[in-house]
Amino acid sequence: MTSSLATINDEFLSPSLPEQVAAVKSRYAEVFGNPPQWVVAAPGRVNLIGEHTDYNAGFVFPLAIERYTVIAAGRPLRTTASDAIRVHSTLFDETAEFSLSNLEPERRDWTSYLRGAFAGCLERGLQPGTLDLLVDSKVPQGGGLSSSAALEVATATLVEAVTGRTLDRVDKSRLAQTAEHVYAGMPCGIMDQFSSALGAAGKLLLIDCRTETAELIPLDDPSVALLVINSNVKHELTGSEYPDRRAQCEQSAKLLGVAMLRDVTSKQLEANRGQLAPLLYRRAHHVVGEIERTTRAAAALQAGDWPLVGELMYASHDSLRDDFEVSCPELDVLVEAAREVGADGGVIGARMTGGGFGGCIVALVRAGREREIADRIAAAYRARTGIEATAFVTKPARGAHIVEG
Ligand code: GLA
């Protein structure tokens, strides 16, 4: 039987990093006329549970995925200024330039993430000098899988390769987070950059975003697999949704008399419900509940209690949809379709993943049934929305690293 997804989705299985690297090296030689000297890779991430908790100093439970942003680099052949960076993107098939002595934080384009990461490296005394770069990515753009964090972390890793210096990996994620804040204008938490920098093969990261430390938790039960299904929609809202949610969380914490929502338990929130207007209560209710669900899910996963992990994932989705209001009809349809396939059909649990308003769902499923499950969910999604979903399976992957040089 041929899979219907095979026709719309040629990368259901992980693309091979060595193949991507080989293609990037030969493209670099075509564009710049000589082979690259350095090659680095940084992955995207998917979050199993713990959404919109990172900027509340809570817990998140993501993994780096087997989809990498790869950068190849070398010294220019032509005569250039000692601070000139020329970068070619395979995605846009476009070459851009900027200068390390004037990184233009206000300029917003696809080089923002690179410029921001270079700025952070320069601040830490890493001086890469003039470079030609070629950037390629297998992390779907705009899918909530941290393509921008992968690019920031890859850039910082490249500067490490070029300068021979090593950044502390947590500091590298902070540097990349600051790049996102200042150069992309997105006040994100630490989860995405941390996952890309510290991801480990076969392990999920239970990150305590207060202490910025992670416990590595193996996902080694051969009977379960991870499926990522992209709704292929990204709602362009006003752009203020994320900062608004952050502000609402800060305001709720203040009214509850604590520094961060992490400091409140569900019991305390109920006892002090009167302090919050209904909207702020719902926002806080999501965050406080989600932090509890995340640590419970990590414990359940370690105990192999898959039904409980699944239940917590569905509860997370409902809370993001109803209390935090960051889902959208398309994500709800995907999760509903997964729920309909259900445990008998091999689905353990599913939820939206990432910031929301489009992008992907993550489903925990029984190994061996991934394709059949993806086909059933995609068929239901197509019937209800008229949109084609794309899907892939992934395992927890190695974080950012130098491939050559
Ligand atoms: C985006 C942000 C993260 C995190 C998630 C929601 O991905 O970049 O820091 O807040 O949304 O969990």
Side-chain angles (χ1 to χ4, degrees), residues 45 47 50-55 146 186 188-192 242 354-355:
R45 64 96 190 92
N47 189 18
E51 218 65 81
H52 290 275
T53 49
D54 59 352
Y55 54 82
S146 299
M186 158 69 173
C188 61
I190 194 75
M191 170 170 68
D192 306 348
Y242 190 92

Side-chain angles (χ1 to χ4, degrees), residues 50-269:
E51 218 65 81
H52 290 275
T53 49
D54 59 352
Y55 54 82
N56 291 294
F59 286 91
V60 292
F61 198 30
L63 55 132
I65 54 175
E66 296 160 308
R67 306 228 145 199
Y68 287 90
T69 292
V70 169
I71 307 184
R75 298 294 180 201
L77 281 181
R78 62 194 178 281
T79 315
T80 56
S82 62
D83 52 7
I85 305 288
R86 189 177 277 191
V87 50
H88 182 84
S89 155
T90 57
L91 181 69
F92 303 112
D93 194 22
E94 196 177 293
T95 305
E97 282 190 48
F98 54 87
S99 161
L100 290 174
S101 15
N102 177 18
L103 285 165
E104 304 174 272
E106 307 297 326
R107 172 177 154 197
R108 296 274 188 268
D109 58 27
W110 62 268
T111 67
S112 297
Y113 310 104
L114 293 130
R115 285 182 283 111
F118 273 111
C121 292
L122 293 177
E123 269 168 31
R124 286 158 177 80
L126 279 67
Q127 302 272 357
T130 183
L131 290 169
D132 284 341
L133 310 176
L134 188 120
V135 179
D136 178 70
S137 189
K138 301 281 187 203
V139 186
Q141 309 290 305
L145 300 174
S146 299
S147 55
S148 60
L151 182 50
E152 292 147 4
V153 172
T155 305
T157 306
L158 176 74
V159 177
E160 291 180 289
V162 171
T163 59
R165 297 260 309 268
T166 304
L167 294 162
D168 168 79
R169 287 184 303 162
V170 176
D171 188 41
K172 184 155 82 171
S173 15
R174 282 196 211 111
L175 170 169
Q177 182 193 22
T178 303
E180 184 88 32
H181 287 188
V182 179
Y183 283 72
M186 158 69 173
C188 61
I190 194 75
M191 170 170 68
D192 306 348
Q193 293 78 10
F194 196 106
S195 313
S196 183
L198 283 95
K203 311 274 200 309
L204 279 94
L205 303 167
L206 178 62
I207 309 171
D208 180 336
C209 299
R210 167 159 278 162
T211 56
E212 295 184 342
T213 52
E215 192 184 330
L216 296 182
I217 299 187
L219 183 64
D220 52 11
D221 183 333
S223 74
V224 299
L226 284 164
L227 191 56
V228 178
I229 306 178
N230 197 335
S231 67
N232 289 321
V233 299
K234 185 77 206 157
H235 294 288
E236 297 296 340
L237 303 167
T238 62
S240 69
E241 288 73 19
Y242 190 92
D244 284 353
R245 294 300 183 287
R246 256 198 103 133
Q248 288 160 354
C249 290
E250 279 157 23
Q251 212 186 335
S252 312
K254 204 166 167 196
L255 290 166
L256 292 166
V258 293
M260 295 282 184
L261 285 177
R262 161 77 181 272
D263 301 314
V264 183
T265 62
S266 284
K267 262 197 184 143
Q268 289 165 336
L269 178 62

Side-chain angles (χ1 to χ4, degrees), residues 188-399:
C188 61
I190 194 75
M191 170 170 68
D192 306 348
Q193 293 78 10
F194 196 106
S195 313
S196 183
L198 283 95
K203 311 274 200 309
L204 279 94
L205 303 167
L206 178 62
I207 309 171
D208 180 336
C209 299
R210 167 159 278 162
T211 56
E212 295 184 342
T213 52
E215 192 184 330
L216 296 182
I217 299 187
L219 183 64
D220 52 11
D221 183 333
S223 74
V224 299
L226 284 164
L227 191 56
V228 178
I229 306 178
N230 197 335
S231 67
N232 289 321
V233 299
K234 185 77 206 157
H235 294 288
E236 297 296 340
L237 303 167
T238 62
S240 69
E241 288 73 19
Y242 190 92
D244 284 353
R245 294 300 183 287
R246 256 198 103 133
Q248 288 160 354
C249 290
E250 279 157 23
Q251 212 186 335
S252 312
K254 204 166 167 196
L255 290 166
L256 292 166
V258 293
M260 295 282 184
L261 285 177
R262 161 77 181 272
D263 301 314
V264 183
T265 62
S266 284
K267 262 197 184 143
Q268 289 165 336
L269 178 62
E270 292 319 308
N272 292 283
R273 188 174 177 155
Q275 311 291 318
L276 301 178
L279 180 115
L280 290 186
Y281 168 75
R282 284 191 282 119
R283 300 296 188 250
H285 187 247
H286 164 71
V287 172
V288 171
E290 185 78 354
I291 293 172
E292 292 171 358
R293 280 188 289 274
T294 304
T295 50
R296 285 182 69 201
L301 182 137
Q302 278 175 290
D305 186 348
W306 300 112
L308 180 55
V309 178
E311 195 184 300
L312 292 164
M313 289 174 78
Y314 288 127
S316 166
H317 185 80
D318 293 349
S319 174
L320 287 156
R321 181 192 60 211
D322 301 336
D323 281 346
F324 216 64
E325 297 178 280
V326 292
S327 187
C328 65
E330 293 84 359
L331 290 171
D332 295 343
V333 167
L334 285 173
V335 172
E336 236 5 84
R339 246 192 251 254
E340 286 162 18
V341 174
D344 290 347
V347 176
I348 296 165
R351 55 182 288 281
M352 58 156 272
T353 185
F357 304 108
C360 295
I361 69 159
V362 56
L364 197 61
V365 303
R366 290 292 167 193
R369 304 184 72 175
E370 300 92 336
R371 244 177 220 280
E372 165 205 337
I373 291 167
D375 279 347
R376 287 184 65 185
I377 295 173
Y381 185 64
R382 186 183 307 121
R384 290 171 208 177
T385 65
I387 306 168
E388 291 297 334
T390 42
F392 63 89
V393 282
T394 191
K395 288 193 176 64
R398 180 177 178 192

